Amino acid sequence: MLITASTPTAPPTTRIPRLLPVMAWLSFIAETLIIGTGGAVRLTGSGLGCPTWPTCTPESLVATPEMGVHGVIEFGNRTLTGLVGILALVVVVLVWRMRRTRRDLFVLALIVLGGVVAQAIVGGITVLTGLNPFIVGFHYVVSLILVCVCAAFLVRMKETAAPRERVVPAWYARLAHLTTAVLAVTIAFGVLTTGAGPHSGDAAAGRNGFNAEILEHVHAWPGYTLLALTLVLVGVAWARRLRPRAWVTVLLAAEFVQIAVGLYQARNGLPEIAVGVHMVLAALTAAAMTVVILRLRAPEGIARVDAVH
């Protein structure tokens, strides 16, 4: 009988590649930056700087000198999309060998990569529909979600693959999830408010038809509710030494700055730079909220606080 030696298979690995933290942080930063550059496209009226997609013009892949600064700004944003995609792909490659032992990281990396591809397509639809404000708003929301997914990857990357357990009282976890829902409502009304405002991205682009002044007030109500809920989360977290206390404090600080910027822009005629900062801060606030939610649980072995069920 002929006996053949089987080829040994490489054991699954849980070791984080040295390059992964660097690339994951670069991916998070790039996802945040593209919100800023996307805002610059709209706030400078460069939304149709490249009037077609996927090329910049029917005759040219890149912006031409005749298109002026608007073409440069719009094409620059498209170029950054390519960089974001490359970084997302590198992260997927780096976690490939861990796809069985760290399925959480692999799935998050795939979501970011797929999201970047989807975002490029949505961006093309945005241009081809003449900057429809609802599609523009959807484009922003997806970008914000990708920032949150990148933040989740950074958090989970620093933890073990062990099963996770809740390390805060049950009522505190429910309050944190309620706060997340209020944040989502605040962002949704912010997107609608922006879609009704003056910064359409191009003089020929339409608006969503809502009353911007009324929406400004409606947008503020869940914003102040969010602040009140976060104050409760911060107070309880520090009083009871709960695990999310540091990040819920970061969340509170982000909300204070965001409210200050919102009040400034509303009282000063929506200056472009303030609107852009407000957009980026919303994404960073959502990322901080993501970290807070993830800190409600910890890998088994970390001491639990006395939970109130």
Side-chain angles (χ1 to χ4, degrees):
M1 182 174 63
L2 180 64
I3 300 176
T4 58
S6 60
T7 303
T9 57
T13 180
T14 59
R15 181 179 299 175
I16 299 294
R18 289 184 179 181
L19 190 59
L20 183 58
V22 175
M23 300 309 298
W25 271 106
L26 287 176
S27 182
F28 173 80
I29 293 170
E31 291 287 0
T32 304
L33 284 176
I34 203 166
I35 289 180
T37 59
V41 168
R42 184 164 56 81
L43 295 169
T44 58
S46 305
L48 296 177
C50 286
T52 188
W53 185 88
T55 59
C56 191
T57 71
E59 297 81 21
S60 174
L61 176 65
V62 302
T64 62
E66 294 77 16
M67 301 171 69
V69 67
H70 293 312
V72 173
I73 294 173
E74 165 64 4
F75 185 74
N77 184 60
R78 294 188 183 189
T79 303
L80 184 57
T81 300
L83 174 61
V84 170
I86 291 172
L87 291 171
L89 178 59
V90 171
V91 172
V92 170
V93 171
L94 289 173
V95 298
W96 178 257
R97 290 188 62 194
M98 306 164 58
R99 63 189 182 279
R100 294 186 181 90
T101 56
R102 291 306 306 267
R103 184 174 175 81
D104 56 338
L105 295 182
F106 184 60
V107 169
L108 289 171
L110 284 180
I111 290 173
V112 174
L113 180 59
V116 172
V117 174
Q119 274 294 73
I121 295 173
V122 174
I125 295 172
T126 301
V127 172
L128 297 176
T129 57
L131 306 181
N132 180 291
F134 293 103
I135 298 178
V136 171
F138 176 74
H139 194 52
Y140 170 76
V141 169
V142 176
S143 295
L144 182 146
I145 291 173
L146 290 178
V147 170
C148 293
V149 176
C150 286
F153 186 96
L154 292 171
V155 172
R156 296 302 297 268
M157 181 179 61
K158 297 178 65 176
E159 298 180 342
T160 67
R164 293 164 61 83
E165 58 184 1
R166 178 166 50 81
V167 292
V168 300
W171 69 265
Y172 187 91
R174 288 193 291 268
L175 183 62
H177 288 296
L178 174 62
T179 305
T180 304
V182 174
L183 174 60
V185 171
T186 305
I187 291 172
F189 277 109
V191 170
L192 288 175
T193 303
T194 301
H199 303 298
S200 62
D202 188 85
R207 302 282 71 203
N208 60 26
F210 296 115
N211 187 302
E213 291 187 10
I214 293 177
L215 279 177
E216 283 183 13
H217 294 290
V218 176
H219 171 49
W221 299 338
Y224 292 129
T225 303
L226 172 67
L227 179 64
L229 291 172
T230 306
L231 283 169
V232 175
L233 291 175
V234 169
V236 174
W238 283 100
R240 302 190 60 169
R241 306 291 293 174
L242 300 181
R243 188 171 186 252
R245 60 187 179 275
W247 274 100
V248 79
T249 304
V250 172
L251 174 65
L252 179 64
E255 290 171 7
F256 270 122
V257 176
Q258 183 72 321
I259 288 174
V261 173
L263 291 173
Y264 172 81
Q265 68 174 14
R267 296 177 180 179
N268 290 274
L270 301 176
E272 287 82 358
I273 186 65
V275 175
V277 170
H278 200 57
M279 292 172 58
V280 175
L281 279 175
L284 294 177
T285 301
M289 187 78 249
T290 301
V291 179
V292 169
I293 294 299
L294 290 175
R295 298 283 289 181
L296 300 176
R297 292 179 172 270
E300 289 180 354
I302 293 181
R304 302 181 65 181
V305 298
D306 291 330
V308 180
H309 297 282

